[in-house]
Amino acid sequence: KTDLETIQTLQHAVMTNTKVNVKYTQKDNTCNKRILCPLGFLYGRTNNYLVAYKDGDNKIIRTYILDKLSDITQTNERFNPGKFDINKYALESFGAYHSENGPYDVEWLADASVADAIERYTFHPTQKFIKNPDGSVVIKMRADGFEEMSWYLFQWGGKIKPTAPVELVNTYNNAIKKCTLTRTDGLPPINLENATKIILGTFPGEQSRKTGQYYANTRNSFWSLLGKQDSETPKQCLERLGIGLWDVIE
């Protein structure tokens, strides 16, 4: 959870075009110091982000998970944001992710069986629907964020699939392969005997399977949402809350 002081410091830096010193914890849990030029905020489905570019990084704009930023101090040094427009930047993304080469001309193909249902959805502000003679619908948009698109499309059970660009199709197919890998061992239950509530998992991520630890990916907010304290192990947190946890994919 990002504290109010951090948000206020970043907001002031955005409004005054002032550089900030930060520490940023990356996926591998390494923590690096850097100077950022903050441009705005994006609020995604699972994380909230600071949009910024790293000082001396040729103004390559990136997103930084707010919860992974720490030790933030505002400098007295200003920067020139140029013609950056946070609203335009947000419209180009699906979720919050941007690649260096995006946005892209994206196409999805929706099965005729969901044609009526998708008319009620706003997938993206730039979307356009084109109905085919067979009842299927082509959904076009100008957007970025192939990984977030892929995981979103899974929710449609194969009724909506990406058809362009090829980079999106490859990302989608690779994600399917990861989800269909054969597993022989799940993760053992925790605190079932003392639980008044049980959370049943469905498919532990790659990092969780490697470490044998539930919700081990640092980008996952599960433990912070439960209110796990820094001094607690995951098991101690579950015992305190009376919660049992079990992967039942087997």
Side-chain angles (χ1 to χ4, degrees), residues 128-145:
K128 294 180 180 179
F129 292 168
I130 302 174
K131 197 156 189 175
N132 293 324
D134 63 359
S136 63
V137 178
V138 175
I139 305 167
K140 293 188 175 185
M141 65 185 76
R142 178 77 174 167
D144 205 343

Side-chain angles (χ1 to χ4, degrees), residues 48-155:
N48 299 322
Y49 301 85
L50 173 69
V51 180
Y53 64 84
K54 190 165 60 172
D55 191 35
D57 199 17
N58 200 28
K59 292 193 175 182
I60 298 175
I61 298 172
R62 307 180 190 277
T63 51
Y64 297 86
I65 300 174
L66 283 177
D67 290 351
K68 304 301 179 184
L69 291 167
S70 61
D71 294 353
I72 301 169
T73 57
Q74 193 167 340
T75 72
N76 294 321
E77 189 176 354
R78 299 292 182 91
F79 68 93
N80 181 3
K83 296 182 179 180
F84 179 80
D85 184 335
I86 188 65
N87 294 314
K88 181 181 178 182
Y89 186 82
L91 287 176
E92 291 174 346
S93 67
F94 189 90
Y97 181 77
H98 280 69
S99 64
E100 292 184 12
N101 298 319
Y104 298 83
D105 291 321
V106 171
E107 291 188 12
W108 301 347
L109 181 63
D111 188 82
S113 61
V114 296
D116 291 336
I118 65 172
E119 291 181 358
R120 301 192 297 269
Y121 283 81
T122 301
F123 299 106
H124 191 268
T126 64
Q127 71 185 32
K128 294 180 180 179
F129 292 168
I130 302 174
K131 197 156 189 175
N132 293 324
D134 63 359
S136 63
V137 178
V138 175
I139 305 167
K140 293 188 175 185
M141 65 185 76
R142 178 77 174 167
D144 205 343
F146 294 161
E147 189 169 324
E148 292 203 31
M149 285 187 200
S150 297
W151 289 110
Y152 175 77
L153 291 177
F154 287 165
Q155 301 176 41

Side-chain angles (χ1 to χ4, degrees), residues 29-48:
N29 284 329
T30 58
C31 187
N32 298 319
K33 293 181 180 180
R34 57 191 73 189
I35 300 174
L36 297 181
C37 302
L39 299 166
F41 300 91
L42 285 180
Y43 300 95
R45 291 179 174 82
T46 57
N47 290 302
N48 299 322

